[in-house]
Amino acid sequence: MELLNIDNITMKFGGLTAVNNFELKIIPGELIGLIGPNGAGKTTVFNMITGIYTPTINKIYFQDRDITGIKPDKITKVGIARTFQNMRLMDNLTVIDNVMIGFHLHLKSNLASAILKFPSYVREEESIYQKSMELLEKVGLEQFKLEKAGSLPYGQQRKLEIIRALATGPKLLLLDEPAAGMNPQETKELMGFIQNIQDDFNLTIFLIEHDMKVVMGICKRILVMDYGVTIAEGNPVEIQNNPEVIKAYLGVDANYA
Amino acid sequence: MKKQNEKILTILALIVLGILVYLAENNLDAYKLRILNLGAIYITLGVSLNLIYGFTGQFSLGHAGFMAIGAYVTTLLVLPPYYKEMIYILEPLAWPFTVIHAPFIVALFLSGLFAAIAAFIIGLPVLRLKGDYLGIATLGFAEIIRIVANNIPRVTNGALGIKGIPEFTNLWWSVGVAVVTIYIIKGLIESSYGRALMAIRENEIAAEVIGINLTYHKVMSFTISAFFAGVAGGLFACLLTTIDPKAFMFVMTFNILIVVVMGGLGSITGTVLAAFLFNFFLEYLRPIEAGFNIGPIKIPQIPGMRMVTFSALLLVVILYKQKGLLGGFEFSWKGFFQFINKLFKNKRSSEGSTR
Amino acid sequence: MSLNLFLQNVANGLSLGSLYALIAIGYTMVYGILRLINFAHGEIFMLAPYFLYFGVLIFHLPWWASIIAAIALTAMTGMLSERIAYKPLRDAPRISALISAIGVSFFLQNLAIVVFSGIPKSVHRPAFFTRLYRFGEIRIQSTLFASIIVSSIFLTLLLYVVYRTKTGLAMRAISTDIETSRLMAADVNKAISITFIIGSALAAVGGILWGLRFPQLFPTMGMIPGLKAFIAAVVGGIGNIPGAMLGGLILGMTEILFVAFLPAVSGYRDAFVFLILILILLFKPDGILGKKVQEKV
């Protein structure tokens, strides 16, 4: 059974078709990459999966459940988490708070017990704190826990955003250009990190990336989009030799070149 | 510092506060008590506005409206029925307001409750709006509430207002309510729900994508904020002993906004301090308006001068000190003792150097 | 309602609406460029008739000179308010500028109390402005004509400036994208100042006509017309100049007809207007002529 089933969705903004007939089935445990030139509609696909946009045509199923048009917070609750291309951390909150927020959606204590600090709530808060610290330790950010998230170096912020997404307890993790702005060393670490969390958390990962080393290095299956349309799909070797892909990226006809 | 110790310190501080209130109530004249009472009421108003604006990031300009609801609910409940019959001259008071009567504490609670219900009904649709649009929409609702109060003389006595409200509000009540407000709002802020509110303030889209239900949290914050505005409205009515719709014009919200901005958005300590300073200076600057003599020179009265000063002060703060007068500082026992320690250390080291 | 009475109301609605339109321009132009609800615009509007009043009464200037002086002074005040209170906040969060604008609004209001005193002043209008014209059963005061005619002239002039001159082009460029305009070496500060001058001057014209029509001046008189003109701007589609004109007329007409048809609830007139605002914000925030903007994620 597939985890995510995207059934031929199309997204139109006014007269512009951002994504046309996008189809994808993701099996649990996969690590899939989505590549394509700027403006190809990759982030729009993510926005539709996470409920920020509702596809104009057709539907998305998660574990056989129709999640089309459901609000983003509900989608996160069923088990899809994401990061953003332009990072959206809570800059003025501390690093630890940024992670702890990720656990809020699973909070059992009600409002009154949280305000009045009932023992049941205090215990729950304590356990959220412990789990958040464990996540921070995983990426080596524990010594910055009381710093403001916005004051961290760029690469660290990227990691923080990923573990915040992990805190929501996802089955499917969507990463939007996780290596953007990282230096080669950081990118290398990131690749190891992504594979680690996939094993540790039993995750399925779907990522958008411009850095071909990352995509070719860790993804078993790759999709290529251009002008809102999927132009190729396959394993890294197949993609590298696909004339359509070369054309889309280099703007020339592969045969001609 | 252990949590247990902090609790003890807080209780001690509250006892000290109680003693101060006792001394004030027994030694100060009515005029000074009134200023202190207003200061305490402004704390409740400011801290509650800070919850929705400073902590949740939702720019609400509706506080005067919720205050109005609270003020009228308390007034109608605490006035004895026979008295109500007497003062509604133009049009008789409608049933059931003719018969209802409740003790002050119940009246205050119901004031908050009705304000909260209004906020819930208003907030559910309106909190979808963002930034300045939300501000204007909530301002619109506050005006609507005031206009309605003007137009239902059988409940509110219309534009004439209601006079002779029993003067129940004293420092025990106003300070007590302020303490409860701070306790509850601080409790909320320092919980997982509070983190969710601040996440919404910081980045709404990210907050939603990490699973925070925007509508629930915004409406919750707005409703709690309005609850305390309503209670403050009740205290306000029973302090001034007379209310009319004009008392709840936009300038009321503006005053609270001054307190919150000057104290610093998202700083409860700042709001508390600013609330007192605001009311203190409002009185302190009164002579400027009333006219005074410097030796033989007679300074004529200049009405409006106080608010000119305050609006100018607000402009200076918003232009040059975005984080408020305290720069976002928040009181904590830990910080307090670190500060004391530092003081002593400096002293010791300076003593050491002279030796 | 008889036809005559209806026409009388339509005439009243048109004249009130044209005044709203004049004020609404200032809101919509400023919002178009700075994304700021210029809360102080109502106070700018209030200053003009005061300036006129003092020009005539204290400086004994002739009417026409006082009017010109009043418009010039009001436009200056508007421009200065931007330089002092909004310009430093151009890169700050938008709400900071709004709070600053609310501060300016109360500052000017109370300054007016200090300088002009809070006691309402009656305007002595020259006979010309109180003349009544009769059209069968309908009686129309000359100020009503004046408001419609004068507003039409000024609004046409404005459209010319915005759509046919270089300054207008710069203003429109900035309202589309302030950053790019800055890079393209457009003088952003100058264009913003001109926007405030034009908006304030039109509000001044509106204020003077208002003062002649409802001849009583008080420092808080700008608050409600200001808010309503803002609502007019939202109804028409904020940022859109023809929209503000249309919104002004619609709002003026709605208000007059609301009272005419439902005299029993006429006390709720302003509440009704605010309700319109809230409903528009909720269901059609782009107004009638506004463009839809999608937030980028």
Side-chain angles (χ1 to χ4, degrees):
Chain A
M1 183 195 84
E2 59 271 353
L3 185 69
L4 187 77
N5 180 2
I6 303 176
D7 181 22
N8 257 318
I9 51 173
T10 294
M11 183 79 221
K12 287 180 185 164
F13 297 108
L16 179 92
T17 304
V19 173
N20 200 0
N21 283 327
F22 185 85
E23 191 175 13
L24 174 67
K25 290 185 171 65
I26 300 179
I27 303 163
E30 269 196 295
L31 206 171
I32 302 181
L34 178 60
I35 61 172
N38 280 324
K42 304 180 300 286
T43 299
T44 306
V45 170
F46 271 24
N47 284 341
M48 284 188 283
I49 300 174
T50 50
I52 291 172
Y53 300 150
T54 305
T56 322
I57 306 173
N58 284 336
K59 297 194 182 302
I60 301 171
Y61 303 88
F62 183 71
Q63 294 183 317
D64 285 341
R65 184 182 154 191
D66 183 2
I67 56 164
T68 326
I70 294 180
K71 284 190 145 199
D73 58 295
K74 300 283 176 302
I75 289 183
T76 310
K77 211 162 189 171
V78 298
I80 302 177
R82 77 174 282 185
T83 64
F84 293 90
Q85 187 180 342
N86 49 348
M87 273 194 295
R88 288 171 176 270
L89 287 171
M90 284 57 185
D91 284 343
N92 292 312
L93 302 189
T94 59
V95 168
I96 183 85
D97 275 351
N98 264 276
V99 184
M100 288 173 82
I101 289 165
F103 288 99
H104 182 67
L105 79 165
H106 296 300
L107 191 79
K108 287 187 193 64
S109 307
N110 61 26
L111 185 61
S113 67
I115 291 175
L116 302 173
K117 304 281 178 294
F118 286 172
S120 61
Y121 171 76
V122 174
R123 271 197 303 277
E124 205 177 355
E125 171 91 3
E126 187 58 32
S127 110
I128 289 174
Y129 178 82
Q130 293 304 342
K131 286 189 238 166
S132 302
M133 281 308 289
E134 281 165 27
L135 283 171
L136 282 177
E137 279 159 20
K138 229 174 203 37
V139 286
L141 286 175
E142 68 275 18
Q143 73 268 37
F144 302 119
K145 64 174 179 178
L146 295 180
E147 302 282 323
K148 282 192 175 167
S151 69
L152 289 183
Y154 195 79
Q156 313 275 41
Q157 290 195 22
R158 285 252 173 239
K159 286 184 190 162
L160 179 59
E161 204 193 7
I162 295 176
I163 58 168
R164 184 182 70 183
L166 290 178
T168 65
K171 300 185 182 82
L172 174 65
L173 179 64
L174 310 179
L175 301 172
D176 197 346
E177 296 195 26
M182 285 189 173
N183 62 37
Q185 181 55 35
E186 284 174 323
T187 307
K188 218 174 140 197
E189 280 173 28
L190 179 82
M191 287 165 67
F193 174 65
I194 291 177
Q195 286 173 318
N196 276 343
I197 55 170
Q198 186 179 26
D199 295 341
D200 292 357
F201 294 88
N202 202 7
L203 283 175
T204 307
I205 296 178
F206 184 22
L207 62 86
I208 295 175
E209 188 47 71
H210 270 305
D211 192 324
M212 287 304 147
K213 273 203 299 296
V214 177
V215 186
M216 300 299 166
I218 59 176
C219 298
K220 305 282 179 297
R221 182 151 73 110
I222 298 166
L223 263 72
V224 190
M225 276 182 93
D226 194 18
Y227 293 110
V229 187
T230 310
I231 57 169
E233 187 182 341
N235 64 38
V237 181
E238 285 163 5
I239 293 297
Q240 271 163 333
N241 297 317
N242 186 316
E244 283 286 321
V245 177
I246 297 168
K247 193 170 134 196
Y249 267 87
L250 302 177
V252 289
D253 198 314
N255 295 327
Y256 184 78
Chain B
M1 169 115 359
K2 282 250 175 70
K3 281 244 163 73
Q4 204 58 37
N5 292 343
E6 287 188 9
K7 220 176 238 172
I8 293 167
L9 282 168
T10 305
I11 291 167
L12 283 176
L14 283 176
I15 292 171
V16 172
L17 183 67
I19 294 169
L20 287 175
V21 167
Y22 177 82
L23 291 175
E25 276 289 336
N26 288 299
N27 292 304
L28 295 179
D29 57 50
Y31 173 69
K32 282 178 187 138
L33 280 175
R34 188 181 161 113
I35 299 171
L36 289 177
N37 271 309
L38 276 174
I41 294 173
Y42 266 82
I43 290 178
T44 303
L45 290 167
V47 172
S48 60
L49 184 64
N50 216 337
L51 171 66
I52 184 70
Y53 179 33
F55 288 103
T56 319
Q58 307 302 308
F59 190 54
S60 164
L61 292 175
H63 246 48
F66 301 125
M67 265 185 92
I69 293 177
Y72 278 106
V73 169
T74 293
T75 302
L76 286 168
L77 284 171
V78 296
L79 279 178
Y82 75 90
Y83 183 77
K84 281 190 269 192
E85 229 164 277
M86 237 163 55
I87 57 164
Y88 282 73
I89 313 161
L90 284 185
E91 286 184 57
L93 182 63
W95 189 88
F97 304 105
T98 40
V99 289
I100 49 170
H101 189 57
F104 192 39
I105 187 159
V106 177
L108 284 183
F109 180 77
L110 288 175
S111 289
L113 194 67
F114 275 92
I117 291 171
F120 180 80
I121 295 167
I122 294 168
L124 218 47
V126 167
L127 285 166
R128 275 193 294 149
L129 298 173
K130 291 192 177 80
D132 42 8
Y133 274 16
L134 175 64
I136 276 292
T138 45
L139 165 62
F141 267 116
E143 281 294 302
I144 291 175
I145 289 171
R146 195 176 63 80
I147 294 165
V148 169
N150 232 333
N151 280 289
I152 44 170
R154 296 198 49 165
V155 181
T156 62
N157 209 20
L160 286 179
I162 303 170
K163 292 176 186 67
I165 305 164
E167 201 179 343
F168 284 141
T169 302
N170 56 26
L171 279 182
W172 293 112
W173 283 107
S174 59
V175 172
V177 167
V179 168
V180 171
T181 308
I182 293 172
Y183 177 75
I184 289 186
I185 290 184
K186 202 169 170 330
L188 171 61
I189 294 308
E190 290 173 352
S191 76
S192 186
Y193 290 92
R195 269 196 302 273
L197 298 183
M198 287 186 273
I200 292 172
R201 173 191 72 192
E202 291 292 311
N203 196 324
E204 212 172 295
I205 291 174
E208 195 176 18
V209 163
I210 52 174
I212 293 167
N213 183 335
L214 295 183
T215 311
Y216 172 84
H217 284 90
K218 284 184 189 177
V219 172
M220 176 263 281
S221 170
F222 191 58
T223 307
I224 292 177
S225 169
F227 177 89
F228 288 111
V231 175
L235 287 172
F236 193 68
C238 290
L239 178 70
L240 302 188
T241 70
T242 158
I243 55 165
D244 64 71
K246 270 213 202 76
F248 305 103
M249 296 218 289
F250 179 55
V251 62
M252 188 73 229
T253 304
F254 179 65
N255 289 346
I256 308 167
L257 190 65
I258 290 181
V259 165
V260 172
V261 170
M262 285 195 184
L265 294 173
S267 161
I268 292 176
T269 317
T271 305
V272 171
L273 207 69
F276 263 103
L277 286 179
F278 178 77
N279 281 286
F280 175 73
F281 276 107
L282 213 53
E283 288 308 318
Y284 188 75
L285 292 173
R286 195 177 282 280
I288 303 181
E289 288 201 354
F292 53 95
N293 300 323
I294 304 175
I297 308 159
K298 203 170 172 187
I299 305 286
Q301 61 173 33
I302 324 172
M305 206 55 206
R306 291 187 296 168
M307 282 314 284
V308 169
T309 316
F310 272 107
S311 357
L313 204 59
L314 174 82
L315 284 173
V316 170
V317 170
I318 199 87
L319 288 173
Y320 300 107
K321 227 165 158 13
Q322 288 270 334
K323 284 188 157 178
L325 297 173
L326 292 183
F329 165 81
E330 195 72 272
F331 176 85
S332 70
W333 286 118
K334 211 172 137 192
F336 178 72
F337 282 106
Q338 273 169 359
F339 177 72
I340 300 268
N341 269 339
K342 225 195 221 160
L343 274 185
F344 279 103
K345 250 186 211 150
N346 281 347
K347 220 177 179 183
R348 246 176 267 153
S349 63
S350 64
E351 274 168 8
S353 63
T354 49
R355 212 174 280 160
Chain C
M1 185 178 297
S2 71
L3 182 68
N4 279 331
L5 196 56
F6 179 75
L7 288 175
Q8 175 90 54
N9 280 318
V10 168
N12 288 341
L14 271 180
S15 95
L16 184 64
S18 56
L19 294 183
Y20 285 156
L22 279 172
I23 317 169
I25 299 291
Y27 280 107
T28 224
M29 285 175 74
V30 168
Y31 197 93
I33 285 195
L34 295 178
R35 302 285 177 272
L36 163 74
I37 299 174
N38 183 12
F39 219 87
H41 198 57
E43 275 58 48
I44 298 288
F45 156 90
M46 164 275 290
L47 287 176
Y50 267 109
F51 287 146
L52 172 64
Y53 176 88
F54 282 99
V56 172
L57 221 70
I58 296 187
F59 297 101
H60 302 293
L61 294 173
W63 273 94
W64 61 269
S66 307
I67 288 179
I68 293 174
I71 294 175
L73 280 174
T74 311
M76 276 285 262
T77 316
M79 189 199 80
L80 283 177
S81 69
E82 190 274 330
R83 279 287 152 111
I84 295 167
Y86 310 148
K87 196 179 160 203
L89 294 172
R90 219 169 272 166
D91 298 317
R94 271 167 60 197
I95 295 298
S96 301
L98 178 58
I99 293 177
S100 191
I102 297 175
V104 172
S105 159
F106 276 86
F107 179 79
L108 290 176
Q109 214 177 83
N110 286 287
L111 196 65
I113 296 178
V114 170
V115 179
F116 307 140
S117 105
I119 305 154
K121 295 200 171 1
S122 332
V123 179
H124 299 283
R125 299 175 288 181
F128 164 73
F129 287 109
T130 49
R131 198 175 299 154
L132 281 178
Y133 294 90
R134 284 175 162 276
F135 299 90
E137 293 286 300
I138 314 171
R139 281 173 308 169
I140 297 177
Q141 213 182 29
S142 57
T143 49
L144 197 149
F145 279 126
S147 11
I148 297 174
I149 294 168
V150 172
S151 332
S152 313
I153 294 172
F154 276 97
L155 296 179
T156 319
L157 216 65
L158 172 77
L159 289 179
Y160 176 79
V161 171
V162 174
Y163 290 101
R164 287 281 179 277
T165 66
K166 233 178 154 180
T167 316
L169 182 67
M171 280 156 58
R172 280 180 292 137
I174 294 169
S175 74
T176 317
D177 188 340
I178 193 164
E179 281 309 316
T180 312
S181 308
R182 208 178 278 172
L183 292 174
M184 307 278 277
D187 191 338
V188 171
N189 289 333
K190 190 179 142 201
I192 290 176
S193 286
I194 291 175
T195 303
F196 271 84
I197 289 174
I198 294 177
S200 306
L202 291 178
V205 174
I208 288 168
L209 290 169
W210 189 283
L212 294 171
R213 188 151 179 256
F214 310 100
Q216 205 175 47
L217 308 184
F218 47 96
T220 50
M221 68 181 271
M223 202 99 191
I224 292 295
L227 273 172
K228 285 186 184 165
F230 169 73
I231 295 170
V234 174
V235 169
I238 194 132
N240 184 308
I241 292 173
M245 300 177 185
L246 185 66
L249 291 177
I250 292 177
L251 198 73
M253 206 62 105
T254 313
E255 218 183 300
I256 297 286
L257 293 182
F258 178 80
V259 176
F261 280 103
L262 304 164
V265 289
S266 61
Y268 288 100
R269 179 169 86 169
D270 290 357
F272 179 67
V273 173
F274 281 115
L275 196 67
I276 293 180
L277 167 75
I278 292 161
L279 293 177
I280 294 242
L281 287 181
L282 285 175
F283 297 108
K284 200 162 180 357
D286 334 301
I288 301 173
L289 298 180
K291 279 193 292 280
K292 210 171 176 159
V293 187
Q294 178 115 28
E295 195 182 349
K296 191 157 167 60
V297 180

